[in-house]
Amino acid sequence: MLNLVLFGPPGAGKGTQSNLLIDKYNLVHLSTGDILRGEIAAGTALGMKAKTLMDRGDLVPDEVVIGMISSKLDNNPTAKGFIFDGFPRTAAQATALDNLLAEKGTAISAMLSLKVEDEELIRRLLERGKNSGREDDKNEEIIANRIQEYNNKTAPLKEFYAAQNKLSEIEGIGSISDIAEKLNEVIDSI
Ligand code: ADP
């Protein structure tokens, strides 16, 4: 199986690049952000609980997102591979993911980490916020909180995957197709 973690701060372009990769490599896209927004739209208890945290730019509890990913893995027994987008975001999530995949006799193939500096992230997210309808894209204070959550809890996961020799860092500035090309090169070399 080809199991990729697409990694990077909010606004790095993970969603955009995931959509290109799922077509090219025939993978199932698992975005915890999208799944959570689906729960909110459906008005579930989980969604209502998550919304307050998400609107502030805080992370949702580990056990919630780990449970979501676990059931998505179970629901896709014939997948050729997965792209994890926005997951894992904490050390506990990364460990849980390794265990879930090991139970299925597979593992993460690579972490592709998109690098974009903070100023550009803020610019992109505010621009997206004009149309996304996302509360967490609307003001700079919330965006700054998301970036801070990323720097404190999520960025250290690069070390986790580097220790397994699975980390590749890719410049996330440039045209969408140039960045896609660089991602393809890394994946094709796995
Ligand atoms: P972005 O990466 O642009 O911030 P996402 O759509 O990935 O956006 O996530 C939006 C919000 O959903 C996060 O700020 C967080 O509140 C919640 N969330 C998504 N994935 C996770 C996760 N793996 N762990 C905890 N919270 C998450």
Side-chain angles (χ1 to χ4, degrees):
M1 282 177 95
L2 180 64
N3 297 308
L4 305 171
V5 174
L6 195 54
F7 196 75
K14 301 185 293 288
T16 305
Q17 294 297 334
S18 291
N19 287 332
L20 299 173
L21 292 172
I22 52 174
D23 286 341
K24 185 167 164 69
Y25 296 96
N26 204 0
L27 304 172
V28 174
H29 183 201
L30 296 185
S31 158
T32 41
D34 287 350
I35 300 167
L36 288 166
R37 282 184 289 277
E39 295 282 338
I40 294 173
T44 65
L46 189 161
M48 293 304 99
K49 224 174 99 187
K51 184 176 177 0
T52 316
L53 294 164
M54 291 170 74
D55 285 354
R56 289 202 295 253
D58 290 339
L59 293 185
V60 170
D62 286 332
E63 59 273 20
V64 172
V65 287
I66 292 167
M68 286 176 356
I69 289 289
S70 173
S71 64
K72 292 285 174 187
L73 291 175
D74 290 342
N75 291 343
N76 287 281
T78 60
K80 295 178 74 178
F82 294 91
I83 294 193
F84 299 94
D85 164 2
F87 182 93
R89 259 172 153 103
T90 64
Q93 293 178 24
T95 305
L97 181 59
D98 273 1
N99 292 336
L100 288 171
L101 292 175
E103 280 169 21
K104 301 196 180 295
T106 185
I108 290 297
S109 315
M111 169 192 259
L112 309 169
S113 175
L114 293 170
K115 227 169 58 184
V116 177
E117 67 268 19
D118 288 359
E119 258 174 49
E120 171 68 8
L121 298 173
I122 294 166
R123 198 191 61 73
R124 289 183 187 179
L125 291 170
L126 287 172
E127 186 60 33
R128 184 173 79 183
K130 291 178 187 167
N131 301 307
S132 68
R134 280 177 57 167
E135 288 299 323
D136 60 347
D137 285 345
K138 274 193 185 144
N139 78 59
E140 242 175 278
E141 208 179 314
I142 297 170
I143 290 172
N145 187 38
R146 288 160 65 193
I147 294 175
Q148 202 183 339
E149 286 276 81
Y150 174 80
N151 287 331
N152 291 341
K153 297 175 184 166
T154 308
L157 295 187
K158 281 191 253 181
E159 299 309 319
F160 181 93
Y161 290 95
Q164 299 183 16
N165 264 320
K166 291 177 179 171
L167 171 68
S168 288
E169 294 208 77
I170 292 111
E171 190 61 58
I173 306 270
S175 74
I176 290 173
S177 59
D178 283 352
I179 297 164
E181 187 65 33
K182 285 187 273 182
L183 290 171
N184 292 342
E185 269 172 36
V186 174
I187 296 167
D188 293 339
S189 73
I190 294 170

